[in-house]
Amino acid sequence: MPTLFHFHDPMCSWCWAFKPTWETIAATLPASVSVRRVLGGLAPDTDAVMPAAMQETIAGYWRHIESAVPGTRFNHDFWHTNTPRRATYPACRAVAATRMLSPEYEEAMVTRIQHAYYLEARNPSDDDTLVDLAGELALDTSAFAAALHADETLSAFSEDLNTCARFGVQGFPSLVLRTTQGAWRIRIDYTDASVSLGDIAQALAS
């Protein structure tokens, strides 16, 4: 079966901007195409406070995205009410743990992390926040907390990182369609799903 790989990071601001268009793509795909989400892991674990210059740079990305992708919103209070760290691995592990415990909630966990981060000014770099989000999804918080750093979760996340490397993916979001004929890079337009869908149709036809 042809597989569409969606490479993403739940704390990637461009992935947040792409979300509505991605949902249209996923809902419009032919039934013959399966979807696999792959975690990109933008930034490894760290306890260091994000330098002020980096905070301003990322806040600037948010302002740019708001103007470049109509309808995308960010809660800029995040930068004043948290101690930001440049660490997205915890959020990625939360998605990997959810996939392992309750795979039907994987997409919901991604969405919950994005809403917490971008709209509610909460910090998904903190395990406590991630456990709270699992509880808000009615997941077993004890099992989830244990799974966050379990060997199985670390292995699953490592496999996702290896998949990114295997396909040569370095930027997020990215789409790759794999068929029996090979792997096809699929173009992304943040406001027009037809661009990606057209590339997918062309790849399937060939």
Side-chain angles (χ1 to χ4, degrees), residues 94-103 106 143 146-148 150-154 156:
V95 176
T98 302
R99 182 198 300 159
M100 182 177 67
L101 294 172
S102 302
E106 179 181 4
L148 266 180
D151 288 345
E152 295 89 342
T153 298
L154 300 179

Side-chain angles (χ1 to χ4, degrees), residues 11-150:
M11 292 181 68
C12 161
S13 50
W14 282 105
C15 295
W16 170 238
F18 184 56
K19 183 176 180 61
T21 300
W22 162 248
E23 289 174 345
T24 299
I25 293 168
T28 312
L29 283 175
S32 60
V33 178
S34 65
V35 172
R36 179 178 168 189
R37 298 184 66 106
V38 182
L39 295 159
L42 279 172
D45 296 307
T46 180
D47 291 325
V49 178
M50 191 185 297
M54 182 180 289
Q55 292 187 41
E56 181 52 40
T57 295
I58 296 176
Y61 294 157
W62 289 12
R63 292 190 292 269
H64 170 67
I65 291 171
E66 283 178 324
S67 62
V69 186
T72 306
R73 295 187 297 118
F74 295 90
N75 185 340
H76 297 273
D77 288 343
F78 174 85
W79 303 104
H80 311 295
T81 59
N82 292 276
T83 302
R85 306 193 317 278
R86 183 61 173 157
T88 73
Y89 276 28
C92 290
R93 285 195 298 270
V95 176
T98 302
R99 182 198 300 159
M100 182 177 67
L101 294 172
S102 302
E104 69 276 16
Y105 280 88
E106 179 181 4
E107 184 82 23
M109 177 56 80
V110 173
T111 299
R112 194 68 201 90
I113 291 171
Q114 290 174 323
H115 281 203
Y117 183 30
Y118 295 119
L119 300 180
E120 300 167 10
R122 297 162 69 184
N123 194 350
S125 296
D126 297 335
D127 283 0
D128 288 349
T129 298
L130 297 167
V131 172
D132 287 344
L133 298 180
E136 291 165 17
L137 290 175
L139 298 176
D140 183 326
T141 53
S142 295
F144 179 84
L148 266 180
H149 298 278

